[in-house]
């Protein structure tokens, strides 16, 4: 039993570190840099999204974190026993899990489509060779603004979830 | 689709590596099945605890002897005498048995009916009252805790 738990915890924590770290890194460093780069910004984003497959990476690490977390939650809670859910750690892990699930849904349904649309726009611009049309510039701008706003909530909620998860075992009520 | 495939294959890998590691841990964990030669000549105390749900709480229930049927029974031992605690998983949930202050820790059990035991003794300097509990997050708070007394 110990072996499976060690593997699940390793996956959960390593993938979680990559997920939260990347979300915060994007918000605090990538996004402002892209803004300052001017015309090179969209090009950078296109490379990040299309060639480096940033959305795929985020999708994979968030899915791994959530899936391994569900297994761990199920095991620790004895199959969702209320006696466990209502303890301090139970409340901490349940709260952290629910917040993380909301963030996962935001990433999947709100961030991923926008990132993909941004990559597609970048491809279109690259294909024509010329400068982007005003419509393309406007759409890129809107997408960027939306992703920043959503990404900010994503990073804040993920940090809340992370703190809950990291401290849950010490919660007392 | 690709992502789903990727996720599923990684999970399959987790289970495979996990079961491999599991086998490794079982063989590499002598406390689960102590070598007869390493056992002290005479066993002072033998306690058997079975995990269970009682009145909406997770608990240990004594099995056999004076603690039979007692929820989270108080266990006692004389310093210097060896103690064997046998843990039976009675509910199919993830559990173990630990006395932090005495360095007592069994492997985790998850299958219903699985058992493990651990033999240990406390020195005179360790006389006192200790908490025994399940180390799975939240289980101690959910009720899996009792007292272990070492008499001088
Ligand atoms: Cu337990």
């Amino acid at each position: 039993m110990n072996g499976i738990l060690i593997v699940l915890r390793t996956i959960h924590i390593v993938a979680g570190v990559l997920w939260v770290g990347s979300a915060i890194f994007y918000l605090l460093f990538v996004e402002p840099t892209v803004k300052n780069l001017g015309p090179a910004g969209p090009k950078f984003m296109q490379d990040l999204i299309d060639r480096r497959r940033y959305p795929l990476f985020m999708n994979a690490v968030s899915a791994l974190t959530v899936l391994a977390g569900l297994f761990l939650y199920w095991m620790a809670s004895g199959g969702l026993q209320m006696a466990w859910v209502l303890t301090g750690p139970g409340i901490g892990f349940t709260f952290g899990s629910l917040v993380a699930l909301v963030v996962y849904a935001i990433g999947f349904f709100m961030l991923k489509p926008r990132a993909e649309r941004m990559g597609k726009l970048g491809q279109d611009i690259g294909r024509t060779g010329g400068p982007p049309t005003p419509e393309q510039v406007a759409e890129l701008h809107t997408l960027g603004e939306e992703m920043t706003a959503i990404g900010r909530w994503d990073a804040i909620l993920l940090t809340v979830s992370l703190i809950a998860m990291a401290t849950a075992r010490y919660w007392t009520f | 689709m690709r992502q789903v495939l990727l996720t599923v294959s990684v999970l399959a890998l987790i289970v495979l590596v996990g079961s491999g590691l599991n086998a490794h841990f079982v063989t590499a964990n002598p406390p689960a099945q102590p070598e007869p030669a390493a056992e002290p000549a005479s066993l002072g105390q033998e306690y058997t605890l079975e995990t269970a749900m009682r009145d909406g709480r997770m608990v240990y229930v004594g099995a056999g002897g004076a603690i039979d049927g007692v929820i989270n029974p108080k266990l006692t031992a004389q310093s210097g005498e060896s103690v064997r605690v046998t843990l039976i998983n009675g509910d199919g949930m993830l559990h173990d048995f630990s006395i932090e202050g005495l360095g007592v820790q069994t492997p985790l059990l998850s299958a219903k009916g699985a058992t493990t035991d651990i033999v240990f003794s406390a020195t005179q300097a360790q006389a006192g009252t200790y908490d025994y509990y399940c180390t799975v997050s939240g289980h101690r708070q959910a009720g899996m805790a009792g007292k272990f007394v070492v008499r001088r």
Side-chain angles (χ1 to χ4, degrees):
Chain A
M1 208 55 238
N2 299 32
I4 294 172
L5 272 180
I6 290 168
V7 173
L8 281 174
R9 282 199 72 177
T10 305
I11 305 253
H12 183 63
I13 292 170
V14 171
V17 164
L18 293 172
W19 183 16
V20 183
S22 300
I24 292 173
F25 177 68
Y26 183 88
L27 182 75
L28 296 184
F29 296 97
V30 175
E31 198 269 331
T33 308
V34 169
K35 232 175 212 167
N36 285 343
L37 281 177
K43 239 183 131 199
F44 172 89
M45 281 307 289
Q46 195 222 323
D47 209 80
L48 182 76
I49 291 167
D50 267 354
R51 194 167 293 168
R52 305 258 59 99
R53 297 184 184 269
Y54 178 67
L56 175 65
F57 168 79
M58 286 302 270
N59 216 35
V61 292
S62 57
L64 280 175
T65 310
V66 168
L67 279 170
L70 284 175
F71 277 111
L72 287 168
Y73 184 93
W74 186 258
M75 288 166 106
S77 69
L80 220 63
Q81 288 291 337
M82 274 303 127
W84 180 88
V85 174
L86 297 176
T87 61
I91 290 169
F93 285 119
T94 305
F95 172 72
S97 307
L98 291 177
V99 173
L101 281 173
V102 168
V103 178
Y104 180 72
I106 290 175
F108 195 83
F109 293 111
M110 297 174 80
L111 275 178
K112 191 167 157 265
R114 284 176 173 80
E116 280 166 359
R117 176 73 193 135
M118 204 179 237
K120 172 97 184 26
L121 268 177
Q123 263 179 352
D124 291 348
I125 295 166
R127 203 175 300 124
T128 56
T133 65
E135 292 81 42
Q136 285 172 326
V137 172
E139 191 178 352
L140 276 175
H141 182 77
T142 311
L143 283 171
E145 294 286 302
E146 286 172 354
M147 282 177 70
T148 305
I150 300 167
R152 182 173 301 138
W153 279 107
D154 224 66
I156 291 170
L157 289 175
L158 267 181
T159 307
V160 169
S161 169
L162 177 70
I163 292 169
M165 289 286 176
T167 58
R169 68 171 55 228
Y170 307 109
W171 288 25
T172 46
F173 284 98
Chain B
M1 194 58 223
R2 249 180 80 184
Q3 288 157 17
V4 176
L5 271 176
L6 181 80
T7 312
V8 168
S9 41
V10 170
L11 274 174
L13 194 71
I14 298 168
V15 174
L16 275 175
V17 174
S19 39
L21 261 177
N22 199 20
H24 168 77
F25 270 89
V26 167
T27 47
N29 252 345
Q33 274 114 25
E35 302 263 329
E39 251 174 59
S42 65
L43 266 175
Q45 295 291 342
E46 289 203 63
Y47 293 115
T48 301
L49 299 174
E50 183 166 359
T51 66
M53 290 293 299
R54 288 289 153 83
D55 303 324
R57 292 187 341 137
M58 294 178 168
V59 294
Y60 296 103
V61 182
I67 61 168
D68 194 47
V70 180
I71 288 173
N72 296 329
K74 183 171 157 188
L75 310 179
T76 55
Q78 205 67 39
S79 63
E81 96 181 328
S82 64
V83 184
R84 185 206 296 274
V85 174
T86 302
L87 182 67
I88 303 173
N89 187 318
D91 53 17
M93 296 176 208
L94 193 64
H95 300 297
D96 65 4
F97 174 89
S98 137
I99 308 173
E100 206 183 329
L102 296 176
V104 172
Q105 174 69 59
T106 70
L108 286 158
L109 299 178
S110 69
K112 191 170 178 173
T115 67
T116 186
D117 61 8
I118 187 162
V119 179
F120 59 96
S121 62
T123 63
Q124 242 185 39
Q126 288 174 315
T129 302
Y130 298 85
D131 289 327
Y132 69 79
Y133 58 91
C134 175
T135 67
V136 176
S137 287
H139 286 208
R140 186 182 190 174
Q141 294 88 337
M144 299 189 79
K147 297 287 180 201
F148 186 90
V149 181
V150 179
R151 285 193 303 261
R152 194 169 277 280

